[in-house]
Amino acid sequence: MLVDDHSLVRMGFRMLLADASVSVVAEAANGEDACQQYPRVKPDVVVMDLSMPGMGGLEAVRRLLAQDADARILA
């Protein structure tokens, strides 16, 4: 799962990961959306931007870990 407020950044990560045969199961433009999508998509790894408008990445990481203590998050 890719979480970044810049669509161009998400697109770049998606292309890099596709070259490594990694599937992106979801994208979110903010922390709120990431927290809502996470339980539904259950990604293996979340690539999280820490600086986003609204709920920033740090708060989103806290909430994701509260939902799933085993969540793997790369910030």
Side-chain angles (χ1 to χ4, degrees), residues 54-67:
M55 183 193 302
L58 287 176
E59 181 60 26
V61 167
R62 286 184 194 106
R63 291 184 186 196
L64 290 176
L65 290 173
Q67 288 181 32

Side-chain angles (χ1 to χ4, degrees), residues 2-20 22 24 27 47:
L2 301 175
V3 185
D4 195 295
D5 57 321
H6 297 97
S7 60
L8 189 60
V9 172
R10 291 193 315 267
M11 183 177 65
F13 273 122
R14 180 185 285 270
M15 289 175 17
L16 288 170
L17 293 169
D19 287 346
V22 175
V24 175
E27 292 185 23
V47 178

